[in-house]
């Protein structure tokens, strides 16, 4: 953690003035603002270029503050907070009437999370209120996992970014909808379906049409600008050879080792390690002037669900800006 006490102090003063700061969390960096200040929240939407009906997650210092943001008590929420907070789990709950529409996109629910990053927790405690914070990337692009990534995305438009080092988890929090009927996972994350079921019983895995909107559920999201193909190892090696024979510049993102003759990057063969390095690797490979990114498809299994989700969306949205949704 390299943010100085002075920077932390300045960040908190800026939040009180209704400004937007770059804030590290254990998942990805966020663009944070006072969740109870409508103008501050609107500034986040303007910076991200995000449609106003896409709700923001409110970050809070601990579970005792749930009642400030939600309406009624949820036993499931209390159990999950006990089990996983501070940590990468966001819960969608009926909103308290005082939560601004700007935060919830006008929906009857609010997303809440207590992040595990020590710097985020310190800022939350000293600030005293809730912080609305989406991932600190422009809409539809790859989430940032370092302070430098946030700088790349926003430049001088976000002058104050607290540097908390590389994010541990590397992909966004698991989102679970507890607002009605059977709990349902809206966005998979490193906290898995099985882990959640072990605490609260049956949980539905797929988002239904009736569920509240989550922009993480748009098909194309988290996307590099370079076209990207996701392939099992054998097919990837074959494709790499063929593309090179056609004279294409390709970069490979492989598990454990690069195929002979390929350039690119390597990620570990376990889900935590892969998730930790995924976005930084996609950013770095995307920054080169390759024609195509070839990404090795990881193994199946509960631990890998979130990684598959992000890779599928990245491949669906990849390509130059003009072609992306
Ligand atoms: O790990 C994370 O969750 C990161 C860090 C910064 O905390 N934040 C994050 O925020 O990923 P964002 O805005 O990029 O993604 C939050 C997702 C969006 O897809 C949003 O639509 C959904 O949460 N969401 C927020 N409030 C919601 C609500 N009331 N109902 C349904 N979905 C909601
Ligand atoms: Mg996001």
């Amino acid at each position: 953690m390299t943010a100085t006490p002075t920077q932390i102090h300045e960040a908190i003063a800026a939040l009180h003035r209704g400004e937007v700061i770059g804030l590290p969390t254990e998942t990805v960096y966020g663009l944070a603002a006072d969740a109870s200040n409508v103008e501050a929240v609107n500034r986040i939407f303007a910076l991200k270029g995000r449609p106003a009906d896409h709700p923001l997650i409110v970050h809070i210092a601990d579970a005792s503050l749930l009642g400030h943001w939600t309406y009624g008590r949820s036993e499931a929420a209390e159990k999950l907070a006990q089990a996983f907070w501070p940590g990468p789990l966001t819960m969608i709950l009926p909103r308290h009437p005082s939560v601004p529409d700007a935060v919830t996109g006008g929906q009857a629910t609010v997303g809440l999370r207590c992040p595990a990053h020590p710097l985020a927790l310190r800022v939350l405690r000293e600030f005293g209120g809730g912080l609305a914070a989406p991932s600190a990337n422009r809409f539809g692009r790859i989430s940032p996992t370092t302070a430098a990534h946030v700088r790349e995305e926003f430049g001088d438009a976000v002058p104050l970014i607290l540097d908390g080092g590389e994010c541990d988890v590397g992909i966004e929090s698991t989102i679970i909808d507890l607002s009605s009927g059977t709990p349902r996972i809206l966005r998979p994350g490193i906290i898995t379906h099985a882990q959640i079921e072990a605490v609260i019983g049956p949980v539905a895995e797929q988002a239904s049409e009736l569920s509240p909107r989550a922009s993480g559920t748009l098909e194309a999201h988290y996307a590099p600008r370079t076209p990207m193909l996701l392939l099992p190892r054998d097919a990837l090696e074959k494709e790499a050879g063929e593309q090179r024979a056609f004279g294409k510049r390709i970069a490979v993102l492989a598990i454990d080792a690069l195929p002979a003759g390929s350039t690119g990057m390597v990620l570990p063969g376990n889900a935590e390690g892969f998730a930790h390095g995924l976005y930084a690797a996609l950013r770095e490979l995307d920054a080169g002037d390759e024609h195509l990114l070839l990404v090795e498809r990881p193994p199946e299994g509960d631990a890998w669900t979130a990684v598959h989700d992000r890779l599928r969306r990245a491949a669906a949205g990849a390509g130059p800006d003009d072609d992306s949704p």
Side-chain angles (χ1 to χ4, degrees):
M1 189 185 312
T2 57
T4 63
T6 312
Q7 286 170 330
I8 296 170
H9 184 79
E10 276 170 17
I12 289 159
L15 290 169
H16 282 300
R17 287 195 302 271
E19 290 168 20
V20 175
I21 66 160
L23 182 75
T25 83
E26 81 283 29
T27 57
V28 300
Y29 275 70
L31 270 191
D34 181 352
S36 59
N37 178 335
V38 174
E39 273 125 59
V41 171
N42 286 338
R43 262 177 217 127
I44 296 179
F45 283 92
L47 278 165
K48 269 189 75 98
R50 176 164 170 156
D53 62 351
H54 285 267
L56 303 180
I57 295 171
V58 177
H59 297 68
I60 55 179
D62 62 70
S64 73
L65 300 168
L66 271 172
H68 289 255
W69 299 92
T70 64
Y71 184 77
R73 276 188 60 185
S74 159
E75 200 184 320
E78 282 163 23
K79 282 187 184 160
L80 289 174
Q82 178 78 31
F84 299 115
W85 280 6
L89 180 73
T90 296
M91 303 195 271
I92 308 295
L93 291 159
R95 70 190 265 194
H96 193 278
S98 66
V99 183
D101 277 340
V103 170
T104 66
Q107 301 191 64
T109 55
V110 60
L112 290 159
R113 159 165 135 78
C114 173
H117 195 291
L119 193 46
L121 281 173
R122 177 162 171 197
V123 169
L124 281 167
R125 288 191 188 118
E126 291 183 23
F127 174 67
L131 292 176
S135 53
N137 52 284
R138 294 189 189 271
F139 186 62
R141 290 295 166 191
I142 302 167
S143 296
T145 54
T146 67
H149 294 163
V150 184
R151 185 80 64 211
E152 269 168 46
E153 291 280 324
F154 296 103
D156 295 339
V158 181
L160 219 166
I161 301 164
L162 292 179
D163 190 344
E166 259 178 45
C167 301
D168 273 350
V169 175
I171 59 172
E172 305 80 354
S173 59
T174 306
I175 302 181
I176 182 163
D177 181 12
L178 299 171
S179 67
S180 60
T182 307
R184 187 178 289 279
I185 290 180
L186 300 185
R187 178 175 74 184
I190 215 74
I191 294 178
T192 65
H193 180 252
Q195 284 177 291
I196 294 174
E197 281 201 329
V199 177
I200 57 168
V203 171
E205 243 177 307
Q206 292 295 314
S208 83
E209 303 238 325
L210 295 176
S211 300
R213 285 179 300 261
S215 76
T217 64
L218 289 177
E219 200 41 52
H221 215 66
Y222 319 109
R225 291 182 167 85
T226 314
M228 167 180 156
L229 265 181
L230 193 56
L231 295 168
R233 183 76 185 200
D234 289 355
L236 183 139
E237 294 193 2
K238 191 156 166 279
E239 185 73 27
E242 286 176 10
Q243 292 286 348
R244 267 197 305 273
F246 282 128
K248 296 285 186 197
R249 287 189 307 275
I250 58 157
V252 174
L253 182 56
I255 295 173
D256 291 337
L258 282 168
S262 289
T263 54
M265 293 177 73
V266 168
L267 289 173
N270 63 82
E272 280 77 17
F274 193 101
H276 173 78
L278 175 62
Y279 287 162
L282 286 178
R283 259 174 201 276
E284 187 166 335
L285 296 175
D286 201 21
D289 65 342
E290 316 297 336
H291 293 116
L292 183 66
L293 302 183
L294 294 178
V295 180
E296 181 173 346
R297 184 190 297 285
E300 300 298 323
D302 192 50
W304 287 96
T305 303
V307 161
H308 280 289
D309 171 78
R310 302 310 190 278
L311 286 174
R312 200 170 43 74
R313 292 172 203 283
D321 270 340
D322 305 0
D323 300 342
S324 60

